């Protein structure tokens, strides 16, 4: 997350934010997210919404739609309801019939430790997943002491252009990161090169010769090198955007899937920028992949109608057994936008989130 389309000016904003992100990303994930750190250094995603209702048909097609994901998706089968309780998920297994609830935390004026303490007071519980962003070839920590041992660390590791990985030039960097994550001696959800089916990151297919196949080759190379380094505490989270941009046939999300042997969890990024329901955002990918892999909502939040949308999210998750984890994008300092993704912006939204956090389904 981190890029929000301004109607009529979307590409300018995306490019400006991406340049800021890449310039400052060396600080991403470096222990505490202190108030002195820039939001761009702490955040790392880029999820543009679908075109607003007033946009032209051409803009809608360019941004893609849910149909881009589901055009050839099989109908959900009975097996979808059993995946999240079948012991799948690799080093971080999906809890049986429950959901792990966590967040990416970057609250204005607070360190990560202070932010975690605030949410602990509000929710009466630890974050089950704590989401951090690490740069591709910058500083990567060897530990995350502020993340409780009872919490799972989810690392969104920035991608890079495919050519410099496929030619072997990045193997040393990959081995180094693998050793550092292995050395943390804790289960880790590793989300590499997320939202690859969008056109806003340098690791997306749109910026790499319009090639989904090469993304798959890169993923498998990383997976092999991690295995060679013995990083078996890592669960691999393949995490596309909820819709594809552009919506061309070469950019269909299924073309980026590395294969069942290389993926432990399937993630989704999706926000209600234009009043999308959880079903609209998450059904297509869940229906396609939920029959064989546990699903994690790896980036989600509401930007409007928060209380209503949180209740909708809770209801959708409770009716979707394939979902094994939900990670809220909990920040009010996202670079380049005035969106506030915090769930405590008003009492009704806070109460709705607290009710969701206390639900037995979210006790994983």
């Amino acid at each position: 997350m981190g890029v929000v389309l301004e109607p009529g000016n979307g590409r300018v904003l995306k490019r400006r934010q991406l340049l800021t992100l890449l310039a400052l990303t060396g600080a991403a994930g470096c222990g505490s997210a202190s108030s002195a750190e820039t939001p761009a250094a702490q955040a790392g995603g880029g999820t543009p919404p679908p075109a607003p209702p007033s946009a032209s048909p051409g803009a809608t097609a360019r941004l893609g739609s849910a149909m881009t994901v589901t055009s050839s998706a099989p109908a959900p089968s009975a097996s979808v309801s059993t995946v999240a309780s079948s012991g799948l998920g690799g080093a971080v297994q999906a809890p049986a019939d429950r959901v792990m609830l966590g967040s990416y935390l970057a609250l204005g004026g607070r360190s990560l430790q202070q932010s975690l303490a605030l949410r602990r007071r509000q929710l009466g519980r630890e974050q089950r997943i704590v989401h951090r962003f690490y740069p591709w070839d910058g500083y990567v920590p060897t530990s995350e002491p502020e993340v409780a041992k009872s919490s799972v660390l989810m690392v969104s590791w920035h991608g890079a252009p495919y050519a410099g990985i496929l030619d072997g030039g990045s193997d040393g960097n990959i081995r180094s990161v693998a050793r550092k994550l292995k050395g943390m001696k804790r289960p880790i959800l590793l989300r590499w090169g997320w939202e690859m089916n969008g056109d806003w990151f340098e690791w997306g297919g749109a910026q790499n010769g319009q090639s989904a196949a090469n993304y798959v080759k890169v993923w498998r190379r990383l997976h092999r090198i991690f295995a060679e380094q013995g990083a078996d505490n890592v669960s691999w989270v393949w995490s596309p955007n909820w819709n594809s941009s552009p919506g061309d046939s070469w950019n269909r999300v299924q073309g980026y899937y590395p294969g069942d042997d290389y993926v432990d969890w399937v993630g989704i990024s999706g926000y209600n920028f234009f009043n999308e329901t959880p079903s609209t955002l998450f059904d297509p990918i869940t229906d396609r992949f939920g029959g064989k892999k546990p699903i994690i909502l790896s980036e989600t939040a509401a930007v409007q109608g928060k209380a209503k949308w949180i209740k909708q999210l809770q209801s959708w998750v409770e009716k979707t057994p394939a979902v094994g984890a939900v990670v809220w994008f909990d920040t009010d300092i996202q670079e380049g936008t005035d969106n506030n993704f915090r769930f405590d912006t008003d009492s009704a939204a806070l109460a709705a989130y607290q009710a969701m956090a206390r639900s037995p389904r979210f006790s994983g």
Side-chain angles (χ1 to χ4, degrees):
M1 177 49 205
V3 178
V4 178
L5 181 69
E6 289 183 343
N9 194 32
R11 292 194 178 277
V12 173
L13 181 55
K14 284 189 286 188
R15 184 178 300 110
R16 183 172 67 245
Q17 285 190 253
L18 181 57
L19 291 174
T20 301
L21 172 65
L22 295 176
L24 296 172
T25 190
C30 304
S32 298
S34 69
S35 59
E37 292 176 6
T38 63
Q42 287 300 309
T47 310
S54 60
S56 65
T60 302
R62 184 171 62 252
L63 283 167
S65 66
M67 290 304 294
T68 302
V69 176
T70 61
S71 57
S72 59
S77 65
S79 62
V80 171
S81 65
T82 63
V83 168
S85 59
S86 63
L88 296 177
V92 181
Q93 294 206 345
D97 303 319
R98 291 171 293 148
V99 169
M100 295 186 290
L101 179 63
S103 65
Y104 163 73
L105 268 169
L107 306 182
R110 295 177 185 267
S111 67
L112 176 60
Q113 185 177 27
Q114 292 167 338
S115 297
L116 287 167
L118 172 64
R119 294 304 186 232
R120 192 181 305 116
R121 290 194 299 271
Q122 291 173 322
L123 303 177
R125 55 178 287 179
E126 292 283 0
Q127 299 292 313
R128 190 65 178 88
I129 297 173
V130 178
H131 184 190
R132 307 290 279 154
F133 287 88
Y134 294 171
W136 168 247
D137 58 359
Y139 172 77
V140 171
T142 56
S143 67
E144 289 281 5
E146 291 171 326
V147 179
K149 291 297 183 182
S150 60
S151 300
V152 172
L153 174 65
M154 183 167 85
V155 172
S156 283
W157 184 22
H158 285 225
Y162 304 164
I165 302 175
L166 293 175
D167 67 6
S170 297
D171 285 2
N173 176 55
I174 298 167
R175 285 192 291 267
S176 174
V177 174
R179 289 193 294 267
K180 288 180 178 179
L181 297 188
K182 174 186 176 181
M184 288 190 185
K185 301 184 184 304
R186 63 186 305 156
I188 293 173
L189 291 163
L190 179 60
R191 178 181 178 241
W192 180 82
W194 63 96
E195 297 168 15
M196 74 303 291
N197 58 322
D199 58 3
W200 45 90
F201 283 139
E202 63 175 350
W203 57 82
Q207 299 197 40
N208 288 270
Q210 298 185 344
S211 173
N214 279 341
Y215 178 90
V216 171
K217 292 178 182 177
V218 169
W219 182 281
R220 292 182 177 182
R221 187 181 191 93
L222 268 63
H223 193 279
R224 173 179 59 79
I225 293 173
F226 267 65
E228 291 170 351
Q229 298 302 311
D232 55 7
N233 60 320
V234 168
S235 282
W236 290 80
V237 181
W238 176 75
S239 187
N241 196 52
W242 77 276
N243 62 357
S244 294
S245 175
D248 301 336
S249 60
W250 68 264
N251 199 36
R252 290 190 179 120
V253 69
Q254 56 265 34
Y256 292 93
Y257 187 63
D260 292 348
D261 291 341
Y262 302 89
V263 172
D264 296 307
W265 290 74
V266 168
I268 317 169
S269 295
Y271 299 75
N272 74 334
F273 286 113
F274 296 101
N275 291 310
E276 297 88 353
T277 65
S279 180
T280 296
L281 294 172
F282 307 129
D283 275 356
I285 291 176
T286 299
D287 289 349
R288 173 173 287 280
F289 297 102
K292 51 189 176 181
K293 297 293 176 181
I295 301 297
I296 176 172
L297 308 187
S298 44
E299 281 191 34
T300 193
V303 295
Q304 53 186 320
K306 290 185 181 181
K308 177 182 177 181
W309 197 83
I310 292 167
K311 292 175 183 178
Q312 291 176 337
L313 177 65
Q314 178 180 345
S315 176
W316 181 85
V317 170
E318 289 175 343
K319 293 184 293 187
T320 312
V323 177
V326 174
V327 183
W328 193 265
F329 197 75
D330 192 0
T331 183
D332 55 353
I333 51 174
Q334 186 60 22
E335 179 74 14
T337 83
D338 58 0
N339 287 315
N340 187 336
F341 301 98
R342 293 176 61 154
F343 58 76
D344 57 354
T345 50
D346 61 78
S347 59
L350 175 58
Y353 198 93
Q354 288 172 326
M356 183 173 70
R358 293 165 184 162
S359 165
R361 175 78 169 107
F362 287 79
S363 64

